[in-house]
Amino acid sequence: MPKASKSAISVASYIGDVRTHIFKINPDPKAEMFKTVEEKGKQSSFAQGYVTLEYACLSCHASRDKEWAAGKAKGFHGNK
Ligand code: HEC
């Protein structure tokens, strides 16, 4: 499982420090894995229920970008 969950420790871009248990990959290159909400002057980030391409693919394919991954990921594992 991709290390796409984060606790308080920063590891590197597109790599969290805890493995996620979400299986669904969102192949949309514009999709954001986390949503930041500001409430009463405090910012909180929430996961969206899917893994985005940078976490699913670019942790290994670091020289590629999301557009490349989007072109290749569609059709994999039933993604449309
Ligand atoms: C755990 C590491 C890892 C992850 C994560 C990963 N790949 Fe790969 N991928 C590889 C390796 C290693 C190869 C080369 C395999 C070979 O040459 O036999 C490869 C090869 C490929 C290839 C064929 C070679 C090329 O460059 O065209 C494609 C396409 C590809 N991956 C797409 C993806 C996509 C899309 C994702 C995300 C959904 C992804 N990969 C996630 C390691 C990974």
Side-chain angles (χ1 to χ4, degrees), residues 2-73:
K3 288 192 171 183
S5 297
K6 294 191 177 185
S7 62
I9 306 159
S10 178
V11 179
S13 299
Y14 312 140
I15 302 177
D17 57 331
V18 180
R19 291 187 190 279
T20 183
H21 286 81
I22 297 169
F23 283 85
K24 185 177 171 58
I25 295 170
N26 187 333
D28 183 348
K30 293 187 199 74
E32 296 286 338
M33 179 114 166
F34 300 98
K35 175 173 72 179
T36 301
V37 174
E38 191 167 327
E39 212 178 322
K40 295 177 190 155
K42 197 178 148 221
Q43 286 197 341
S44 309
S45 292
F46 296 95
Q48 304 262 51
Y50 47 73
V51 180
T52 51
L53 294 169
E54 63 269 51
Y55 286 92
C57 315
L58 303 188
S59 55
C60 290
H61 295 281
S63 63
R64 307 282 191 160
D65 60 20
K66 284 178 97 173
E67 301 298 329
W68 171 85
K72 302 289 184 188

